[in-house]
Amino acid sequence: MSSSTSTRGRAITGKSSGGFGAMITPMLRPDLFGALATHAGDALYELCYIPEFGKIIRVLRDYDHDILRWWDDFRSRTAFTKPDDATLLMTLGVAACFSAREDGTPELPFDQVTGELLPEVWRRWLAERLAR
């Protein structure tokens, strides 16, 4: 399959996180893509993640306020057998990508006891999102 050498002849598309990639790639490399399409591309973290933090805090009460204890439990049983598993897994995964410590430990952008947003960590999440 041949590819167009013209920017006008090249497009990119994606869904969810791939949709985010489809949005920012042409912004970062306008010399490569002339068009983009995104389906539910990730954006506006303030609206999609912050509302989940309170729910996560409540669930983590059962794990001594420690998402890594939840992670140990999650890996020890059949996956997605508890109602909040998907939300916790998504948040832990995003933390692993955007706010891992030097040793690789994911750092959540909020205090796991109080739920208070940790501005320095939250800024790292937002820094990864060019589409806002």
Side-chain angles (χ1 to χ4, degrees):
M1 174 184 263
S2 65
S3 176
S4 174
T5 58
S6 163
T7 299
R8 290 182 48 145
R10 203 175 292 127
I12 187 169
T13 186
K15 177 183 177 196
S16 192
S17 292
F20 170 76
M23 284 189 289
I24 66 157
T25 301
M27 290 182 210
L28 297 173
R29 294 296 308 270
D31 57 309
L32 292 179
F33 298 97
L36 71 91
T38 180
H39 179 75
D42 291 346
L44 295 173
Y45 270 24
E46 298 90 336
L47 300 177
C48 69
Y49 283 105
I50 288 178
E52 300 297 324
F53 295 166
K55 298 172 192 173
I56 293 168
I57 294 299
R58 285 189 292 281
V59 173
L60 291 181
R61 290 175 184 162
D62 294 336
Y63 297 94
D64 295 323
H65 305 281
D66 185 346
I67 199 162
L68 295 179
R69 287 185 187 228
W70 166 82
W71 177 238
D72 289 339
D73 174 60
F74 180 81
R75 292 183 308 159
S76 73
R77 58 182 166 77
T78 303
F80 303 105
T81 53
K82 294 188 178 180
D84 296 298
D85 281 350
T87 300
L88 287 158
L89 185 61
M90 174 67 80
T91 303
L92 183 58
V94 174
C97 291
F98 294 162
S99 57
R101 296 183 186 124
E102 285 293 320
D103 67 359
T105 303
E107 186 173 12
L108 296 178
F110 56 86
D111 183 284
Q112 295 181 65
V113 176
T114 67
E116 179 181 4
L117 205 59
L118 303 173
E120 66 282 354
V121 181
W122 181 241
R123 275 192 293 275
R124 290 179 6 215
W125 281 43
L126 295 179
E128 295 297 328
R129 298 327 243 185
L130 302 177
R132 294 184 69 202

